[in-house]
Amino acid sequence: MDKVRLAVIGIGNMGSAHAKAIFDEKISNATLSCVADIDEDKLKWAGEAFGEKVARFRDYNELLSSGLADAVIIATPHYLHPIIAIAAFNKGFHVLTEKPAGVDTTEVEAMNEAASASGKTFAIMFNQRTDSLYLKLARSVREGKLGTIKRFVWIINNWYRTQAYYDSASWRASWNGEGGGALLNQCPHNLDIWQWILGVPDTLKAFCHEGRFHDIKVEDDVTIYAEYKSGASAVFITSTGEFPGTNRLEISGTKGKAVVENGKLEFFILDDDERNICFNSDEAMPKAHYSEEIIEAQKAEDGHILIIRNFVNNILFGEELIAPGEQGIKSLQISNAAYLSTWTNSEVSVPADKRLFSRLLNEKKEREIIKYHSDAHTASLKESAGVYSSRWDVTW
Ligand SMILES: NC(=O)c1ccc[n+]([C@@H]2O[C@H](COP(=O)([O-])OP(=O)(O)OC[C@H]3O[C@@H](n4cnc5c(N)ncnc54)[C@H](O)[C@@H]3O)[C@@H](O)[C@H]2O)c1
């Protein structure tokens, strides 16, 4: 295979930008061969944007049976990610799915099994893993630059969204349509970076407030407190209802601390390990010496394009995946546990009780149908199809 024939399933805000980037040849060794969407307007847009050389399907199963593509990018609402991915793996396709991996880890486990049985390339769109600062931080923590980790604190409430955003598509901000709120839509990136750097925590207690800032049924305000068997703790705070927001990640360890904020990563590294200072100093509050290092963010190409390129290069040349698809379950384990902790008002282990989670999620969905079945979603967003929106960038 010289070139990978890519198909995009779901050409809404995100999928239309992926399709346009591939069509515009931003991904070497790949062509856009087809797209699928259930929405006639989206297919009409694709016809105008790409012409007749790119086949259009209303039913993704027809696309999968067409013989026109080698790999699919899935950019539909979340619940469909595992369903479409499993269908694609079973038909021998390579798959790049949008985040989150799904809604319920039980479905994602089935997707991971299908991926492994197929032997095909499986990647997930965790484009923030390409950010130079998170990359440097993750490597430094793994290499022990901060010593043994004590605390991880991320306040990431600059995911501001208006009511018009939530009203722009009927699947948004509902348990039936989206399966969650800020944790499942905006924060999979941050939860992934968290687990990428530190691993999945062992226990957590969470406070997910539903419709605190918007007229929505899912959470738009979250605080998670988590613990690791190593003794490290983590606090994760997010919302979509505070403006101006903050994006500050601070990790402290026995050798110092790292802070990522305002587009730079700062290391404060002690000359001596703090545990030595604590137990061997005669002074009550010694001014231990540390050195500072500041790393500015490097402007790179859009992370979505880097992930698609990496996916294609893995298929063709075996390039190591930046975000292997099987890893998508980890951030979902954190968000599933946070929901379960909120619903049961208790501390839970991570991964959480899968059966209980599925049962309580289904109960929420059933209650929502009764209460919200006649909702009308009519707002339209001022956004253009086919472009990567700045609201998906890492913002400072
Ligand atoms: N990685 C990122 O930075 C990023 C940014 C935004 C959205 N996303 C993800 O992309 C996905 C889509 O989000 P969006 O904002 O583009 O939503 P959207 O509503 O704009 O687009 C979803 C599209 O899927 C289509 N669709 C629904 N059911 C379908 C089916 N059965 N077959 C084919 N198409 C179907 C819809 O008609 C719609 O056009 C979500 O999972 C979201 O989390 C990722």
Side-chain angles (χ1 to χ4, degrees), residues 150 272-284 286:
K150 297 173 178 171
D272 194 7
D273 189 291
E274 181 278 330
R275 295 288 77 195
N276 285 337
I277 300 168
C278 179
F279 290 108
N280 297 317
S281 172
D282 296 332
E283 295 175 56

mmCIF file of all heavy atoms in Angstrom, residues 150 272-284 286:
data_model
loop_
_atom_site.group_PDB
_atom_site.id
_atom_site.type_symbol
_atom_site.label_atom_id
_atom_site.label_comp_id
_atom_site.label_asym_id
_atom_site.label_seq_id
_atom_site.Cartn_x
_atom_site.Cartn_y
_atom_site.Cartn_z
ATOM 1 N N LYS A 150 4.515 13.550 45.172
ATOM 2 C CA LYS A 150 3.674 13.748 46.357
ATOM 3 C C LYS A 150 2.270 14.172 45.961
ATOM 4 O O LYS A 150 1.285 13.699 46.502
ATOM 5 C CB LYS A 150 4.263 14.862 47.239
ATOM 6 C CG LYS A 150 5.633 14.570 47.817
ATOM 7 C CD LYS A 150 6.130 15.841 48.516
ATOM 8 C CE LYS A 150 7.464 15.632 49.171
ATOM 9 N NZ LYS A 150 8.034 16.900 49.662
ATOM 10 N N ASP A 272 19.021 19.251 47.137
ATOM 11 C CA ASP A 272 18.967 18.050 47.966
ATOM 12 C C ASP A 272 17.517 17.561 48.003
ATOM 13 O O ASP A 272 16.590 18.374 47.927
ATOM 14 C CB ASP A 272 19.443 18.418 49.385
ATOM 15 C CG ASP A 272 19.735 17.181 50.219
ATOM 16 O OD1 ASP A 272 19.706 16.057 49.664
ATOM 17 O OD2 ASP A 272 19.969 17.349 51.431
ATOM 18 N N ASP A 273 17.346 16.263 48.181
ATOM 19 C CA ASP A 273 15.984 15.725 48.240
ATOM 20 C C ASP A 273 15.285 16.247 49.506
ATOM 21 O O ASP A 273 15.861 16.264 50.598
ATOM 22 C CB ASP A 273 16.071 14.186 48.281
ATOM 23 C CG ASP A 273 14.711 13.521 48.130
ATOM 24 O OD1 ASP A 273 13.880 13.637 49.059
ATOM 25 O OD2 ASP A 273 14.486 12.891 47.099
ATOM 26 N N GLU A 274 14.063 16.701 49.368
ATOM 27 C CA GLU A 274 13.331 17.297 50.507
ATOM 28 C C GLU A 274 13.215 16.342 51.690
ATOM 29 O O GLU A 274 13.189 16.762 52.848
ATOM 30 C CB GLU A 274 11.931 17.730 50.027
ATOM 31 C CG GLU A 274 11.055 18.388 51.091
ATOM 32 C CD GLU A 274 10.356 17.379 51.989
ATOM 33 O OE1 GLU A 274 10.064 16.273 51.518
ATOM 34 O OE2 GLU A 274 10.134 17.696 53.183
ATOM 35 N N ARG A 275 13.140 15.029 51.415
ATOM 36 C CA ARG A 275 13.044 14.060 52.532
ATOM 37 C C ARG A 275 14.335 14.064 53.362
ATOM 38 O O ARG A 275 14.306 13.928 54.582
ATOM 39 C CB ARG A 275 12.764 12.631 52.001
ATOM 40 C CG ARG A 275 11.414 12.463 51.299
ATOM 41 C CD ARG A 275 10.221 12.486 52.235
ATOM 42 N NE ARG A 275 9.817 13.779 52.711
ATOM 43 C CZ ARG A 275 8.984 13.990 53.752
ATOM 44 N NH1 ARG A 275 8.505 12.978 54.424
ATOM 45 N NH2 ARG A 275 8.660 15.195 54.125
ATOM 46 N N ASN A 276 15.481 14.261 52.703
ATOM 47 C CA ASN A 276 16.753 14.389 53.443
ATOM 48 C C ASN A 276 16.748 15.660 54.267
ATOM 49 O O ASN A 276 17.152 15.667 55.430
ATOM 50 C CB ASN A 276 17.953 14.464 52.481
ATOM 51 C CG ASN A 276 18.268 13.115 51.892
ATOM 52 O OD1 ASN A 276 17.902 12.104 52.482
ATOM 53 N ND2 ASN A 276 18.911 13.116 50.743
ATOM 54 N N ILE A 277 16.284 16.757 53.621
ATOM 55 C CA ILE A 277 16.253 18.047 54.327
ATOM 56 C C ILE A 277 15.356 17.914 55.549
ATOM 57 O O ILE A 277 15.725 18.318 56.663
ATOM 58 C CB ILE A 277 15.723 19.171 53.401
ATOM 59 C CG1 ILE A 277 16.614 19.318 52.168
ATOM 60 C CG2 ILE A 277 15.619 20.490 54.162
ATOM 61 C CD1 ILE A 277 16.025 20.193 51.066
ATOM 62 N N CYS A 278 14.192 17.333 55.368
ATOM 63 C CA CYS A 278 13.200 17.239 56.450
ATOM 64 C C CYS A 278 13.758 16.502 57.668
ATOM 65 O O CYS A 278 13.571 16.946 58.806
ATOM 66 C CB CYS A 278 11.953 16.533 55.930
ATOM 67 S SG CYS A 278 10.667 16.335 57.154
ATOM 68 N N PHE A 279 14.464 15.411 57.432
ATOM 69 C CA PHE A 279 14.883 14.582 58.574
ATOM 70 C C PHE A 279 16.326 14.814 59.015
ATOM 71 O O PHE A 279 16.733 14.295 60.056
ATOM 72 C CB PHE A 279 14.651 13.097 58.254
ATOM 73 C CG PHE A 279 13.175 12.768 58.208
ATOM 74 C CD1 PHE A 279 12.540 12.504 57.002
ATOM 75 C CD2 PHE A 279 12.402 12.785 59.375
ATOM 76 C CE1 PHE A 279 11.175 12.241 56.956
ATOM 77 C CE2 PHE A 279 11.034 12.526 59.337
ATOM 78 C CZ PHE A 279 10.417 12.249 58.127
ATOM 79 N N ASN A 280 17.107 15.590 58.234
ATOM 80 C CA ASN A 280 18.517 15.776 58.611
ATOM 81 C C ASN A 280 18.895 17.217 58.920
ATOM 82 O O ASN A 280 20.043 17.479 59.291
ATOM 83 C CB ASN A 280 19.432 15.235 57.506
ATOM 84 C CG ASN A 280 19.224 13.738 57.344
ATOM 85 O OD1 ASN A 280 19.126 13.024 58.346
ATOM 86 N ND2 ASN A 280 19.105 13.272 56.118
ATOM 87 N N SER A 281 17.955 18.152 58.761
ATOM 88 C CA SER A 281 18.301 19.553 59.035
ATOM 89 C C SER A 281 18.035 19.887 60.498
ATOM 90 O O SER A 281 17.083 19.376 61.097
ATOM 91 C CB SER A 281 17.453 20.467 58.133
ATOM 92 O OG SER A 281 17.645 21.800 58.524
ATOM 93 N N ASP A 282 18.894 20.772 61.076
ATOM 94 C CA ASP A 282 18.681 21.233 62.463
ATOM 95 C C ASP A 282 17.716 22.403 62.494
ATOM 96 O O ASP A 282 17.217 22.786 63.547
ATOM 97 C CB ASP A 282 20.004 21.722 63.064
ATOM 98 C CG ASP A 282 20.981 20.574 63.161
ATOM 99 O OD1 ASP A 282 20.501 19.430 63.281
ATOM 100 O OD2 ASP A 282 22.198 20.837 63.095
ATOM 101 N N GLU A 283 17.508 23.019 61.323
ATOM 102 C CA GLU A 283 16.670 24.229 61.289
ATOM 103 C C GLU A 283 15.185 23.865 61.175
ATOM 104 O O GLU A 283 14.849 22.816 60.614
ATOM 105 C CB GLU A 283 17.041 25.085 60.074
ATOM 106 C CG GLU A 283 18.438 25.648 60.126
ATOM 107 C CD GLU A 283 18.759 26.383 58.839
ATOM 108 O OE1 GLU A 283 18.008 27.311 58.476
ATOM 109 O OE2 GLU A 283 19.729 26.002 58.173
ATOM 110 N N ALA A 284 14.313 24.760 61.674
ATOM 111 C CA ALA A 284 12.870 24.507 61.595
ATOM 112 C C ALA A 284 12.348 24.738 60.182
ATOM 113 O O ALA A 284 11.442 24.049 59.723
ATOM 114 C CB ALA A 284 12.126 25.420 62.567
ATOM 115 N N PRO A 286 14.410 25.596 56.909
ATOM 116 C CA PRO A 286 15.599 25.984 56.136
ATOM 117 C C PRO A 286 15.214 26.506 54.755
ATOM 118 O O PRO A 286 14.226 26.047 54.178
ATOM 119 C CB PRO A 286 16.386 24.675 56.021
ATOM 120 C CG PRO A 286 15.367 23.599 56.185
ATOM 121 C CD PRO A 286 14.297 24.141 57.077
#
